[in-house]
Amino acid sequence: ESTRQRLIKILESNRDSYLSGQELSNQLNVSRTAVWKHMKELGKDGYEIEAAPRKGYRIVAYPDKVTKNTLQWGLNTSRVGRDIFHYEQVSSTQDIAHQLAKEGYGHGTVVVADEQVKGKGRMSRAWHSKRNEGIWFSLLLKPELPPVQAPQITLLAAVVLAEAISSISDLSPQIKWPNDILINHKKIAGILTEMQAEQDQIQYIVLGIGINVNQDQSSLPEDIRHKATSLRQESGKTWEINWLIQLILETFENTYEQFIQEGFLPVKNKWEKYGYRLGQEVTISTMRKAWQATLVGIEADGALLTRTEEGIQEKLYSAEIHWGEGGYN
Ligand code: BTX
């Protein structure tokens, strides 16, 4: 842990009181000049620090802007987020993460952007990623697993998002197979998993996560307003982006480590708890056809298990699920 990280922790646990330069220099084991220099750096990252003569230092405002530092301070993980790249504007965080993978960056590297101008969904669909209103990031993963297990990581990420949202709100997120998080039937988050693999080994996965956070109805594009929502719209309050990203990274690391150690079963069980329309009949479509079937659950390998009216069970690895009029994607 760096001096700066420890400094933030001390300041955070003394939110309302002053800490003298001397006290901080003792606790951190650095000079008072060094303490002062760190304070100046914190200021650059958006912390507002009051320095009162004879009383000492006190945090008066926390940064609302996201930076590498504000994300790393107080982040309680060991591998996820060890390297963080933050940009104000990018085309897509996915592309940058692929580049970093090729440059040799390791498991857990995070790429975050305030805004994406070419955010992408699956099958070349666009993902709307407006400035500062949501969380748009990619996580570089290097699991020692065969490529057939990659879909499990998409499902795991969906569980992480559902659990994180449930843990901080009264909302009831649901997971639409394979990769969408819905609240009150509207999409609040999406996951895009891209993989580089050899025959029997994943080289790396770039896991892209997009979450609508502080948008109001009018800031979502018109064509998706009826089927998209944000945390703010559902909860009636605005959320602090830094803190949410940290929560998600921490929840991800814990869930991922459990998955590596214990396998997919714990993830499968949680997934089914959040599974959208399980037990109900929906329309399923692939490139070639569309048909009606009941969603039964997921299989140990992450496939979707369905059953037709005639009772025929089928495992699906890639398909779209629709319901109601006009479909949904
Ligand atoms: P998807 O293909 O399942 O969903 C894309 C569809 O969702 C679009 O066609 C549109 O109908 C709808 N949509 C677009 N933007 C939004 C939005 N902000 N909220 C709700 N619905 C929307 C889902 O793909 C995967 C999305 C991953 C996004 C992350 S962000 C960080 C990373 N970088 C990047 O370019 N993509 C990922």
Side-chain angles (χ1 to χ4, degrees):
E1 214 172 47
S2 70
T3 305
R4 187 143 324 138
Q5 262 168 324
R6 284 191 290 138
L7 173 59
I8 279 287
K9 275 193 185 154
I10 298 172
L11 288 169
E12 272 178 357
S13 53
N14 291 279
R15 276 190 178 226
D16 300 310
S17 52
Y18 290 94
L19 286 163
S20 74
Q22 189 59 54
E23 241 174 289
L24 288 169
S25 108
N26 291 346
Q27 283 198 43
L28 296 168
N29 210 9
V30 297
S31 70
R32 290 179 60 167
T33 318
V35 169
W36 180 78
K37 279 187 183 152
H38 282 299
M39 292 295 178
K40 263 192 17 189
E41 288 299 311
L42 291 184
K44 283 189 202 155
D45 280 304
Y47 286 86
E48 254 176 69
I49 313 272
E50 182 191 338
R54 283 182 301 279
K55 287 185 184 164
Y57 299 101
R58 187 171 70 107
I59 293 190
V60 289
Y62 287 83
D64 49 11
K65 66 175 181 182
V66 173
T67 68
K68 170 180 160 37
N69 288 338
T70 58
L71 287 173
Q72 266 172 343
W73 287 324
L75 178 65
N76 217 343
T77 57
S78 57
R79 291 205 290 167
V80 172
R82 192 188 290 167
D83 285 308
I84 295 183
F85 293 82
H86 168 263
Y87 302 88
E88 288 183 359
Q89 191 193 63
V90 297
S91 53
S92 160
T93 56
Q94 294 290 101
D95 302 343
I96 296 172
H98 280 286
Q99 190 55 44
L100 293 172
K102 291 187 183 101
E103 289 171 23
Y105 279 87
H107 177 87
T109 300
V110 174
V111 182
V112 194
D114 296 338
E115 177 179 17
Q116 297 184 114
V117 290
K118 272 205 180 126
K120 50 184 180 179
R122 291 177 304 150
M123 293 171 275
S124 337
R125 294 194 282 246
W127 183 259
H128 182 73
S129 327
K130 220 171 147 183
R131 174 167 297 266
N132 297 337
E133 294 200 328
I135 293 176
W136 329 118
F137 77 97
S138 301
L139 194 50
L140 175 60
L141 303 172
K142 295 191 168 168
E144 286 174 16
L145 296 171
V148 291
Q149 280 189 272
Q152 297 179 348
I153 292 185
T154 305
L155 301 175
L156 181 151
V159 165
V160 166
L161 296 184
E163 296 251 290
I165 293 171
S166 303
S167 74
I168 53 163
S169 69
D170 298 331
L171 302 170
S172 305
Q174 293 193 293
I175 308 170
K176 174 176 167 265
W177 187 85
N179 69 325
D180 290 335
I181 308 296
L182 310 182
I183 294 183
N184 292 323
H185 312 284
K186 290 176 165 186
K187 184 138 107 184
I188 196 157
I191 298 161
L192 174 66
T193 310
E194 295 176 323
M195 171 172 69
Q196 281 290 323
E198 280 156 15
Q199 194 74 21
D200 41 32
Q201 167 70 44
I202 295 173
Q203 286 174 322
Y204 69 84
I205 284 176
V206 173
L207 181 71
I209 294 183
I211 311 169
N212 299 328
V213 181
N214 288 327
Q215 292 100 330
D216 56 30
Q217 260 255 306
S218 64
S219 58
L220 287 164
E222 218 157 320
D223 58 319
I224 60 168
R225 260 177 225 171
H226 63 288
K227 58 179 186 181
T229 190
S230 70
L231 270 184
R232 173 160 157 219
Q233 279 174 59
E234 298 300 319
S235 67
K237 58 177 189 171
T238 54
W239 294 82
E240 205 200 302
I241 303 268
N242 275 305
W243 176 74
L244 274 178
I245 297 177
Q246 289 184 331
L247 172 73
I248 290 161
L249 297 181
E250 287 165 11
T251 312
F252 184 89
E253 182 164 281
N254 294 336
T255 314
Y256 183 86
E257 291 308 323
Q258 188 188 27
F259 164 65
I260 294 299
Q261 271 151 36
E262 297 172 28
F264 186 61
L265 191 62
V267 176
K268 173 179 165 11
N269 291 337
K270 285 184 192 156
W271 195 98
E272 286 179 336
K273 196 175 102 189
Y274 294 109
Y276 187 69
R277 303 232 158 179
L278 290 190
Q280 295 181 29
E281 186 164 275
V282 297
T283 305
I284 296 173
S285 63
T286 61
M287 302 275 252
R288 271 165 281 128
K289 52 174 187 159
W291 69 100
Q292 302 286 114
T294 300
L295 299 181
V296 179
I298 52 171
E299 291 279 280
D301 60 359
L304 180 69
L305 188 62
T306 62
R307 189 179 55 236
T308 62
E309 223 174 22
E310 298 79 44
I312 300 165
Q313 302 235 42
E314 193 179 1
K315 282 170 74 169
L316 297 172
Y317 289 90
S318 79
E320 295 283 334
I321 298 167
H322 315 264
W323 59 89
E325 294 288 307
Y328 188 114
N329 63 53

